Amino acid sequence: MAMQNRRTFLKDLGVASLATALPLSQLNAKSISTPHKEVNIGLIGVRGMGWANLNSFLKNAGTACVALCDVDSQLLEERAQELETKTGKRPKTFSDHREFLKLKSLHAVIIGTPDHWHCIQMTDACAAGKDVYVEKPIANSIAEANLMVQAARKYNRVVQVGQWQRSDPHWIEALAYLKTGVLGRIRQVKAWADVNYGKGFDVVPDSMPPAGVDYDRWLGPAKKRPFNQNRFHGSFRYFWDYAGGLMTDWGVHMLDMVLAGMDVTTPKSVMAIGGKLAFPDNAAETPDTLTTVYDFGDFSLVWEQFIAMGTSPYLEESGEPGVAFIGEKGILAINRASWKVLPLQEDGKYLTEVLPPRRSYINGLDEHTRNFFECIQSRKDPNCTIEIGRDAALVAHLGNIAYRTGKKLEWDAMQSQISNDAEANSYLSPIYRAPWKLWEG
Ligand SMILES: NC(=O)c1ccc[n+]([C@@H]2O[C@H](COP(=O)([O-])OP(=O)(O)OC[C@H]3O[C@@H](n4cnc5c(N)ncnc54)[C@H](O)[C@@H]3O)[C@@H](O)[C@H]2O)c1
């Protein structure tokens, strides 16, 4: 990306003439805060979402990508070349994130690796004095998520979690409407992901890793086992050693919006029913069908995941995963495409106004990476702090633990543990393969 100067930056935002007339300090828009210095960013995990995050971040004037790190050397080279073509500068390339983090010119790091790597790489990055944008779920266990909160605060780093709905005006406005109280008391919340992919996920034999892939480093702290294509790029998310299936993938995004809308952090209890009911013989370990029920005291939360048609109850306009808040006077339903209010009726009269669908109108990811960029400069907490990331990961992981144990679990938020089941507590913390160690503070 050719580096933009300040004038071009403002022009891109459609405020060029205003910018020539007013000093920047008088421009009353969060989106055009002054960059104080260049922010040199680096990316660990260059394939999927990490790459999307990097390209979004680089839309901000005053940013440059100085380094990339990946264990797939072929992909790493392709990405380095793409960046060189786009920006005229070739980033340094690394296969070991610890060498990458020694780079003094690096201010901030995006972590786009599979979930089982997030805790090690995030805590190492904080200890190395870098600010961090870490993908969701922030970790593959509740214990790791708690350590990551400690690391961010101990090293005083700006940490943004990739739950980008937190910066998207579409979600912010819908939740603000909910909080006006016009729907009355919210007694139940439903969140769902009906996805129409993952049906033909056939079992394939173990094989040699692709040329140029450091498979042992890809596994990292996870159990050693032969390479299998199904457990690798992209589809690692359906295997417990690396991720938590649809629950920690889509679930984290949607459950986060429930926590934000209801101003709560953790449930009192959770139970779950499900299994590999739709595709019992496919390659995935994680359930294709799962319903988890959480008790938050004042309201209940029901999460449903299934692989069917890609539908969105209440929101026929689009089949995105979503959330519905069910109140005394109406239901507010929202997904990434739109939100609307369905009023309840009594004696033929609506109890609240009908709100027709309001569509998403801006790129939420760009808002989120810009918020990270601004906070690197201002040193303020970003829109999705590590604590917010921990809470969403915790709720999702608890749902998976309830499913895996088949028990109703009580959560003790003070002790950060399950109070009624010792076996279930064994899922809270991962067992790392040597030489990798859980961060010790
Ligand atoms: N926020 C969102 O909307 C969103 C969307 C999709 C994925 N995600 C999250 O992003 C993360 C990555 O998912 P993905 O689908 O992009 O995965 P992916 O498999 O496409 O990419 C992961 C990359 O990390 C690399 N990698 C693995 N171990 C590494 C290591 N030790 N050091 C350096 N690189 C390593 C892999 O080689 C690969 O290039 C997951 O945590 C996922 O939940 C978030």
Side-chain angles (χ1 to χ4, degrees):
M1 182 186 75
M3 200 54 63
Q4 290 170 296
N5 61 28
R6 183 182 296 177
R7 180 70 54 81
T8 332
F9 176 40
L10 292 166
K11 193 165 166 238
D12 284 350
L13 290 160
V15 291
S17 54
L18 188 59
T20 50
L22 285 173
L24 270 175
S25 58
Q26 289 180 30
L27 292 172
N28 185 22
K30 198 178 172 204
S31 59
I32 52 172
S33 62
T34 319
H36 300 302
K37 62 171 188 188
E38 290 246 314
V39 174
N40 289 335
I41 192 100
L43 169 63
I44 313 176
V46 304
R47 183 173 176 271
M49 197 61 198
W51 185 244
N53 293 332
L54 176 67
N55 282 286
S56 173
F57 186 85
L58 292 177
K59 289 179 188 173
N60 294 290
T63 58
C65 176
V66 294
L68 297 178
C69 172
D70 206 289
V71 299
D72 182 335
S73 62
Q74 216 167 312
L75 190 58
L76 183 64
E77 177 55 27
E78 279 170 30
R79 294 305 197 204
Q81 278 179 22
E82 277 181 67
L83 272 179
E84 190 173 3
T85 307
K86 188 171 161 182
T87 67
K89 279 189 198 156
R90 187 182 162 83
K92 291 191 187 331
T93 53
F94 298 84
S95 60
D96 183 337
H97 77 272
R98 294 166 301 185
E99 294 304 314
F100 159 98
L101 288 172
K102 286 181 188 160
L103 203 60
K104 289 221 161 45
S105 60
L106 194 61
H107 302 129
V109 173
I110 296 169
I111 299 174
T113 48
D115 313 357
H116 68 291
W117 263 109
H118 292 177
C119 180
I120 291 173
Q121 290 170 338
M122 182 272 187
T123 52
D124 284 352
C126 289
K130 317 297 182 192
D131 294 326
V132 181
Y133 184 108
V134 61
E135 261 313 334
K136 50 50 59 181
I138 64 164
N140 200 28
S141 70
I142 292 173
E144 289 171 300
N146 282 332
L147 290 174
M148 292 163 80
V149 171
Q150 281 178 36
R153 296 304 166 197
K154 173 174 176 180
Y155 296 110
N156 201 18
R157 305 322 306 160
V158 170
V159 179
Q160 176 87 300
V161 177
Q163 290 152 213
W164 53 259
Q165 286 83 195
R166 288 268 173 180
S167 295
D168 187 340
H170 171 68
W171 290 86
I172 293 168
E173 287 160 16
L175 297 186
Y177 183 88
L178 176 77
K179 289 179 187 187
T180 61
V182 292
L183 302 182
R185 194 173 64 77
I186 304 297
R187 52 204 181 201
Q188 191 180 53
V189 187
K190 293 181 188 291
W192 65 86
D194 167 11
V195 300
N196 56 9
Y197 51 83
K199 295 179 185 178
F201 190 36
D202 295 336
V203 174
V204 297
D206 294 340
S207 61
M208 292 296 289
V213 169
D214 183 344
Y215 173 57
D216 191 64
R217 193 178 291 284
W218 188 97
L219 281 175
K223 279 196 270 306
K224 196 169 176 69
R225 71 168 322 283
F227 179 85
N228 189 290
Q229 191 61 41
N230 280 334
R231 304 171 65 99
F232 190 47
H233 286 335
S235 47
F236 66 83
R237 43 178 46 71
Y238 305 115
F239 298 89
W240 298 118
D241 285 350
Y242 326 121
L246 281 172
M247 176 56 120
T248 53
D249 198 9
W250 272 110
V252 161
H253 281 303
M254 297 302 115
L255 297 170
D256 180 36
M257 291 297 97
V258 177
L259 302 184
M262 299 301 291
D263 285 322
V264 292
T265 52
T266 51
K268 292 174 184 300
S269 70
V270 54
M271 50 194 174
I273 298 175
K276 278 170 60 74
L277 305 181
F279 307 102
D281 302 324
N282 81 1
E285 284 177 352
T286 55
D288 50 44
T289 310
L290 182 66
T291 303
T292 56
V293 184
Y294 299 86
D295 177 5
F296 278 88
D298 293 345
F299 70 98
S300 61
L301 163 64
V302 183
W303 163 256
E304 287 187 348
Q305 68 189 47
F306 51 106
I307 300 178
M309 297 168 66
T311 53
S312 207
Y314 314 99
L315 292 152
E316 305 79 30
E317 298 82 16
S318 131
E320 293 270 343
V323 181
F325 297 89
I326 299 168
E328 293 165 305
K329 298 180 181 171
I331 298 174
L332 185 149
I334 177 163
N335 63 21
R336 282 181 176 176
S338 65
W339 69 275
K340 70 179 179 190
V341 170
L342 301 97
L344 268 58
Q345 291 184 37
E346 233 171 59
D347 303 329
K349 281 191 189 149
Y350 287 146
L351 298 183
T352 185
E353 63 182 332
V354 183
L355 270 193
R358 295 173 176 217
R359 303 199 184 281
S360 167
Y361 55 91
I362 212 162
N363 182 326
L365 178 62
D366 286 352
E367 296 298 300
H368 205 49
T369 56
R370 189 175 64 230
N371 173 249
F372 179 49
F373 171 63
E374 289 174 352
C375 291
I376 290 171
Q377 294 163 318
S378 67
R379 311 313 296 166
K380 289 186 181 154
D381 269 344
N383 290 340
C384 192
T385 60
I386 192 72
E387 287 83 1
I388 292 173
R390 185 264 316 276
D391 293 340
L394 187 151
V395 174
H397 282 304
L398 274 183
N400 272 342
I401 298 171
Y403 162 70
R404 294 175 84 178
T405 56
K407 293 176 180 159
K408 180 178 178 190
L409 305 175
E410 313 280 341
W411 181 246
D412 179 342
M414 291 298 288
Q415 301 297 323
S416 197
Q417 65 178 23
I418 294 156
S419 56
N420 65 334
D421 194 279
E423 184 214 341
N425 273 319
S426 69
Y427 286 94
L428 297 184
S429 199
I431 298 169
Y432 277 4
R433 181 171 67 111
W436 302 102
K437 285 189 179 149
L438 268 179
W439 184 68
E440 285 168 346

